[in-house]
Amino acid sequence: MFADDTTVFLKSTDSYNAMTKILETWCKASRAKFNVPKTIVIPIGPRESRNRLRESRTLEGGEERIPPEVKILEEGEGTRILGAWLGPSYDETAPWGQIAQTIERNLSRWMKRRPTLKGKRTVLSIEVGSRTQYLAKVQGMPKQVEDRLEKAMTGFLWGTRMSAVTRDITERRQEEGGLKILNIRARNEAVDLMWLRSYLDLSPSRP
């Protein structure tokens, strides 16, 4: 049994050494091994507090220094936690660059097969819809990424940057004369609404 991406939140008054001792005890009991060199500290809070943590490598009021082999993220750096990229002042568009490039490259390859409009609809659902769904849910999709993906979808669908048919029509159901092409913005808005619904859920089942 392996534990990946173990995340621990420490307050400014907590003890880093106490946390590591708890983990060491758990490792002995479970026969697991905690990979200290891969440990990453994400400074949170005001910038002043983040800078102080990097300079002193200690929590506020503590004398216990964070080991030198443990990386403390600098401003603008990020690390991946359960699929989401987090970090102090991290650029929210950064993790989307590679995904967008992969989608554009794959769509270009699909174009060589000369798919029909129905085939293109399926490809867009797989390449754009499925490939972006998880990250859009855990991190959200910036508007500039939405714009980039919409341009890629239009180019793939019509072979040009200009749509032969308005986007509104292509996104309609087939019964209404459309192609039921993925509406990436509407999908992202639905994701945001699901997050809001969970946040406002005050029942015992609230996550």
Side-chain angles (χ1 to χ4, degrees):
M1 181 177 180
F2 297 92
D4 238 349
D5 286 344
T6 301
T7 305
V8 180
F9 290 88
L10 295 179
K11 296 184 298 184
S12 59
T13 55
D14 287 334
S15 168
Y16 183 89
N17 287 351
M19 182 270 293
T20 57
K21 289 179 181 178
I22 292 173
L23 289 175
E24 289 171 358
T25 301
W26 177 81
C27 287
K28 291 179 181 178
S30 63
R31 297 184 180 180
K33 183 178 180 180
F34 192 69
N35 199 335
V36 176
K38 286 189 175 181
T39 301
I40 295 177
V41 173
I42 306 176
I44 58 177
R47 181 182 289 268
E48 182 179 321
S49 298
R50 302 197 300 263
N51 291 337
R52 191 203 62 78
L53 174 63
R54 296 188 192 96
E55 294 172 1
S56 66
R57 300 190 70 88
T58 62
L59 298 177
E60 292 183 12
E63 298 180 357
E64 307 161 345
R65 291 181 61 83
I66 297 174
E69 63 268 24
V70 174
K71 178 176 177 57
I72 301 178
L73 292 184
E74 298 290 340
E75 295 298 313
E77 288 187 319
T79 187
R80 193 175 185 181
I81 300 178
L82 297 178
W85 287 85
L86 304 173
S89 304
Y90 186 65
D91 181 6
E92 62 177 1
T93 65
W96 286 103
Q98 185 175 356
I99 293 177
Q101 288 178 2
T102 299
I103 291 172
E104 292 165 346
R105 182 173 61 250
N106 290 350
L107 292 181
S108 178
R109 291 173 179 172
W110 276 107
M111 279 294 287
K112 296 178 181 178
R113 294 176 175 267
R114 299 181 181 275
T116 63
L117 282 177
K118 288 185 178 180
K120 289 180 178 180
R121 179 188 64 192
T122 301
V123 171
L124 290 175
S125 177
I126 295 172
E127 291 294 344
V128 182
S130 299
R131 198 176 291 278
T132 63
Q133 186 169 358
Y134 182 77
L135 187 58
K137 182 175 182 180
V138 300
Q139 193 143 14
M141 182 183 293
K143 183 181 182 301
Q144 51 265 53
V145 178
E146 290 179 337
D147 294 340
R148 179 176 177 178
L149 292 179
E150 281 189 344
K151 289 181 180 179
M153 292 171 66
T154 299
F156 176 71
L157 195 59
W158 305 113
T160 176
R161 293 185 178 182
M162 298 294 293
S163 299
V165 180
T166 62
R167 185 182 303 277
D168 175 65
I169 294 178
T170 60
E171 292 169 351
R172 294 178 185 176
R173 294 179 300 175
Q174 291 176 303
E175 296 84 356
E176 299 174 340
L179 294 171
K180 203 177 180 181
I181 297 297
L182 171 68
N183 184 329
I184 193 73
R185 296 182 191 273
R187 194 282 307 272
N188 292 341
E189 289 176 1
V191 169
D192 292 340
L193 287 174
M194 291 302 295
W195 270 109
L196 180 61
R197 179 182 178 184
S198 298
Y199 180 78
L200 296 177
D201 180 10
L202 301 179
S203 69
S205 63
R206 180 179 183 177

